Amino acid sequence: MAIPINMPKLGLSMKTGTISKWLKNEGDSIKKGELLVEIMTEKITNKVESKAEGVLLKIVASKDEIRPVGELICVIGEEGEDISGILAEAEARTSKTVAGKPSKGATKKSASTPLSDEERRKIKISPVARKLAEGNGLDYTLIAGTGPDGRITKEDVEIAITQGEGMASGMPDDRPVQQVIPYEGMRQAIGENMARSSSSNARVTLHVSVDMTGVLALRKKLNAGAKEKDKISVTAILTKAVARALELNPCLNASLTGDEIRIWQDIHIGMAVALPEGLMVPVLRNPCQKRLSEVNTEISDLAKRARKNKLDVDEMTGATFTVTNLGGYGSVDFFTPIINPPEVAILGIGRTTEKPAVVDGQVVARPLMGLSLVFDHRVVDGAPAAEWLALLIGLIEKPESMFV
């Protein structure tokens, strides 16, 4: 008996999954529990086992295709078995919604055939999508719309921007190439998310240097006599300070969803972790309710498992504010990180270097660290953002106060 295999739910918050790679081809035999497909969710690649034994009769969801949870991705059964009924039922179900994204290169009309003004006027495209396309030098007539009646949506344009559809590169194709890296998987997920963020919010960045003398002194005191594995990191202290600042002033612990600005009661900090193939942002939940040692242990554990691709979807979702740290590279003082929607702010941390500072009227050397607060001006104005940053500076420069 043929068995339909649907997009599995790999986490409580998972709504869709992307087919990253099929590990079996149509016509291959497969045993129950054998690896069948790789599915990407929130930048995590999950290797999914087969729940049935037989022959892979039909692959319904192709590579890079997005499918909602519960929707058909393949069929397993006996060789030669009739699966037309299963396919017809799945097609009827999916015809009511648009699954996946426009395929690369999907066009309405050949780029070599210019449209007349009358033809361009007949193309269905939302005003926001049109403005976004024109602002990015995109020929929207070459984009396949996924909205009602083929209407081109804002998301269609955003995807086209990241994939280069409708754009002339202006670069010759016969130049020598050192390396070709497929734009797919985690790299593509990051790119599309960042493009959506850049095109949808009104970013403002505030830069400031903060004196790390207090943090370094506190860390030295806490780590005196401690075993290496138990030593508190600077990152843990800074994360605790950020969480405390959000607790005292929650204006940035928010999200913009539709026509609602939601100020969240719980504080969950996204921690950006760099990997060779991209970036992952595991989530530290409720650090305000945990001891500094617990925060330190959890940050270390999340980072280690992120680098080994051992996090599940729930550990990658639900952040209310994100912190990204480039200080360890020793080359960056300030930068402008991109907000992770629907969050409304992100904090970038730069390197700590000895610099001249005026203390009690005297010029002395101090360990100064760069902070870059990026916020969405649609949600938060400059004054409250500056007030929050001042609060954070106070907690960092007098770190014992965050425990009071």
Side-chain angles (χ1 to χ4, degrees), residues 43 158 161-162 183 187 189-207 270-273 279-281 319-326 334-349 372-376 378:
K43 304 183 211 171
E158 289 169 347
I161 290 171
T162 63
Y183 184 60
R187 183 73 269 153
I190 293 170
E192 292 177 359
N193 190 45
M194 294 301 96
R196 281 193 293 272
S197 175
S198 294
S199 63
S200 64
N201 60 51
R203 287 180 296 164
V204 177
T205 307
L206 305 180
H207 298 298
M271 310 289 298
V273 177
L279 191 72
M280 296 183 77
V281 187
T320 59
F321 185 96
T322 295
V323 175
T324 179
N325 191 339
L326 294 181
F334 305 101
F335 60 108
T336 304
I338 298 177
I339 298 169
N340 190 19
E343 298 165 40
V344 300
I346 184 171
L347 181 71
I349 298 176
S372 301
L373 175 66
V374 182
F375 62 96
D376 188 343
R378 295 176 303 166

Side-chain angles (χ1 to χ4, degrees), residues 45 74 106 116 173 209 216 235 274 278 333 339 356 375:
T45 300
C74 71
S116 66
D173 292 331
S209 293
L216 297 178
T235 299
D333 290 316
I339 298 169
F375 62 96

Side-chain angles (χ1 to χ4, degrees), residues 149-212:
D149 298 322
R151 183 182 179 88
I152 301 171
T153 67
K154 179 168 171 270
E155 184 179 20
D156 295 331
V157 176
E158 289 169 347
I159 292 173
I161 290 171
T162 63
Q163 295 179 346
E165 293 175 13
M167 292 183 179
S169 68
M171 299 181 183
D173 292 331
D174 57 352
R175 297 186 303 169
V177 175
Q178 180 176 338
Q179 183 183 11
V180 175
I181 301 172
Y183 184 60
E184 59 185 14
M186 181 185 293
R187 183 73 269 153
Q188 187 177 31
I190 293 170
E192 292 177 359
N193 190 45
M194 294 301 96
R196 281 193 293 272
S197 175
S198 294
S199 63
S200 64
N201 60 51
R203 287 180 296 164
V204 177
T205 307
L206 305 180
H207 298 298
V208 69
S209 293
V210 59
D211 191 339
M212 290 289 285

Side-chain angles (χ1 to χ4, degrees), residues 307-322:
R307 295 186 180 100
K308 295 179 180 178
N309 197 28
K310 297 294 184 181
L311 297 173
D312 62 38
V313 176
D314 296 326
E315 291 175 307
M316 291 280 293
T317 54
T320 59
F321 185 96
T322 295

Side-chain angles (χ1 to χ4, degrees), residues 85-163:
I86 293 175
L87 298 178
E89 182 181 347
E91 185 176 355
R93 196 162 55 240
T94 58
S95 64
K96 298 177 182 179
T97 59
V98 177
K101 58 189 178 186
S103 59
K104 294 183 180 181
T107 60
K108 292 181 177 296
K109 191 176 271 273
S110 170
S112 61
T113 309
L115 298 180
S116 66
D117 291 341
E118 181 64 25
E119 288 176 314
R120 292 180 71 90
R121 282 194 292 270
K122 289 181 179 179
I123 290 177
K124 295 179 180 179
I125 180 171
S126 72
V128 174
R130 185 193 300 272
K131 183 178 180 181
L132 181 60
E134 292 174 348
N136 284 272
L138 221 69
D139 184 355
Y140 59 79
T141 66
L142 303 179
I143 300 174
T146 61
D149 298 322
R151 183 182 179 88
I152 301 171
T153 67
K154 179 168 171 270
E155 184 179 20
D156 295 331
V157 176
E158 289 169 347
I159 292 173
I161 290 171
T162 63
Q163 295 179 346

Side-chain angles (χ1 to χ4, degrees), residues 262-299:
R262 299 179 180 179
I263 307 295
W264 301 110
Q265 181 173 336
D266 290 333
I267 296 169
H268 303 318
I269 306 296
M271 310 289 298
V273 177
L275 306 178
E277 63 272 27
L279 191 72
M280 296 183 77
V281 187
V283 180
L284 178 67
R285 301 188 183 278
N286 294 309
C288 289
Q289 301 173 15
K290 297 170 182 175
R291 297 170 61 89
L292 182 58
S293 58
E294 293 177 295
V295 170
N296 188 69
T297 299
E298 286 193 31
I299 290 175

